[in-house]
Amino acid sequence: MSVVETVLAHVPRPLRSLLLKHRELLKFAVVGGTTFLVDNGIWYLLKFTVLTDKPTTAKAIAILVATIVSYVLNREWSFRTRGGRETGHEATLFFVISGVAVAVNLVPLLISRYVLHLQRPEVSLFVQETADFISGSVIGMLLAMGFRFWGFRKWVFPDELGGTRPPATHHPTR
């Protein structure tokens, strides 16, 4: 029994059917949650150490690392029964969509910092960091996530290709 099946076995039946109907979106959200942690962990590590004066650069680096993690997890789990493109073509499309999503993700942070001037010395460190988190990690990430889900389903892992990638098989241990 897979992890998803184990979790779903404990969910009330009406909610379970809804989750099963949207299983792909649920898996995409789990991958998104994982990459959210990767993204923010790297962002804050860079922002508070080697890139203290460059929060947008730190965020861009963090997003790129999280995007690589996202590709592997989405290809092998979220969308494993979709697609069927040659791996290089699929990866290229994935990173193009993700590159556009990086820009989508950075726009709220850029607006917060450089249009609204929610940065020191105009505001306190607490206000700056709260604004950075809300704009970069909440608003930006939600906008980018919606764009990625739509783009991945439409161009990277489309159903129209017939889902030729075989589903992962379970090999019991001997």
Side-chain angles (χ1 to χ4, degrees):
M1 185 180 272
S2 73
V3 173
V4 173
E5 291 167 343
T6 302
V7 170
L8 288 175
H10 293 84
V11 174
R13 187 172 294 266
L15 182 57
R16 185 180 324 144
S17 64
L18 179 67
L19 293 174
L20 286 171
K21 181 179 176 184
H22 300 288
R23 173 179 270 180
E24 194 172 75
L25 179 61
L26 181 62
K27 287 180 175 183
F28 182 79
V30 169
V31 169
T34 302
T35 57
F36 176 84
L37 295 175
V38 169
D39 176 356
N40 283 295
I42 292 170
W43 183 32
Y44 281 101
L45 178 70
L46 293 173
K47 188 169 131 168
F48 291 122
T49 59
V50 296
L51 293 172
T52 56
D53 295 334
K54 300 183 184 287
T56 306
T57 302
K59 185 64 171 175
I61 292 168
I63 291 168
L64 291 173
V65 172
T67 299
I68 293 167
V69 172
S70 175
Y71 175 68
V72 172
L73 294 177
N74 277 304
R75 182 178 198 284
E76 299 302 324
W77 191 51
S78 302
F79 300 112
R80 72 184 163 118
T81 60
R82 287 176 153 265
R85 297 184 191 282
E86 182 267 321
T87 303
H89 186 179
E90 181 182 86
T92 299
L93 289 171
F94 186 94
F95 287 104
V96 166
I97 296 293
S98 294
V100 174
V102 167
V104 169
N105 197 313
L106 290 175
V107 167
L109 179 60
L110 289 167
I111 290 170
S112 174
R113 280 281 180 133
Y114 305 113
V115 175
L116 300 176
H117 303 287
L118 295 175
Q119 61 183 333
R120 295 186 70 192
E122 286 86 358
V123 297
S124 70
L125 179 61
F126 177 77
V127 170
Q128 172 185 288
E129 295 308 315
T130 301
D132 281 359
F133 181 78
I134 291 169
S135 62
S137 294
V138 178
I139 297 169
M141 194 166 289
L142 287 173
L143 291 172
M145 189 174 98
F147 175 77
R148 280 186 181 106
F149 186 71
W150 171 77
F152 292 167
R153 287 177 49 98
K154 181 156 180 68
W155 288 302
V156 182
F157 307 109
D159 253 350
E160 298 83 52
L161 295 178
T164 56
R165 187 180 318 133
T169 56
H170 177 67
H171 300 288
T173 57
R174 298 173 205 235

